[in-house]
Amino acid sequence: GESVGLHLPTLSVQEGDNSIINCAYSNSASDYFIWYKQESGKGPQFIIDIRSNMDKRQGQRVTVLLNKTVKHLSLQIAATQPGDSAVYFCAETLAAAGNKLTFGGGTRVLVKP
Amino acid sequence: EPEVTQTPSHQVTQMGQEVILRCVPISNHLYFYWYRQILGQKVEFLVSFYNNEISEKSEIFDDQFSVERPDGSNFTLKIRSTKLEDSAMYFCASSEWGADQPQHFGDGTRLSIL
């Protein structure tokens, strides 16, 4: 289940620091967005979601920001831990299009102890 | 925590053979999906399924592909005559409702076509 892309952007973070992962989405009509985490050999794991009528949403140690003007999504992880090492994907969807998710290319996060 | 389960974890098949990938979605979920991820590429949507019908399908989901919910718990993806380019990770997902609901994924089936 890994996304072993040779060209996968990598974010290297010191344990305890905050991480910011960015994503540019493609469809200005998309109305729902999700961040997923994918560890090696596993499927995408839901982290947090946000609807298009919001610009910020907070979860446990994670915050998602949505900027519809520039079609940009970000995921902030507070106090990054070794278990946060994974590939992170943003996904967008439009309810009128059968709820199909369109995934971004992913960012690999490496947490250094 | 309830989860989506997929079997087998790895399937090796000769080109031209039929293959069936199996999924057990989360029990109270009503919407079901298949995605695939070719090595080194993005996760791609294949098909969505609700109320025993296909809701949406992608260009990838051609006549060689079909989906079925044969009973109250299983959701299957069949590829009738496999091609080398069908080699990929296939993920099943389900959601409680359709719009504005997170899709929860299984750990996938790695399909290898020889």
Side-chain angles (χ1 to χ4, degrees), chain B residues 19-30:
Chain B
V19 66
I20 297 175
L21 309 183
R22 303 182 189 279
C23 170
V24 179
I26 295 172
S27 62
N28 65 331
H29 286 189
L30 300 178

Side-chain angles (χ1 to χ4, degrees), chain B residues 95-113:
Chain B
S95 63
E96 191 172 357
W97 303 104
D100 294 355
Q101 290 289 312
Q103 295 177 26
H104 296 273
F105 285 74
D107 285 337
T109 293
R110 181 176 297 281
L111 179 62
S112 300
I113 307 300

Side-chain angles (χ1 to χ4, degrees), chain A residues 3 32 36 43 51 99-101, chain B residues 35 37 98 100 102-103 106-107:
Chain A
S3 175
Y32 179 59
Y36 286 95
R51 293 169 177 75
N99 305 308
K100 67 178 183 182
L101 290 173
Chain B
Y35 292 81
Q37 186 177 30
D100 294 355
Q103 295 177 26
D107 285 337

Side-chain angles (χ1 to χ4, degrees), chain B residues 47-58:
Chain B
V47 65
S48 59
F49 189 87
Y50 168 70
N51 198 27
N52 279 322
E53 290 184 342
I54 290 175
S55 307
E56 185 82 15
K57 60 182 180 180
S58 70

Side-chain angles (χ1 to χ4, degrees), chain A residues 76-92:
Chain A
Q76 301 175 4
I77 305 174
T80 312
Q81 301 169 359
D84 295 327
S85 292
V87 177
Y88 290 80
F89 295 96
C90 68
E92 59 183 299

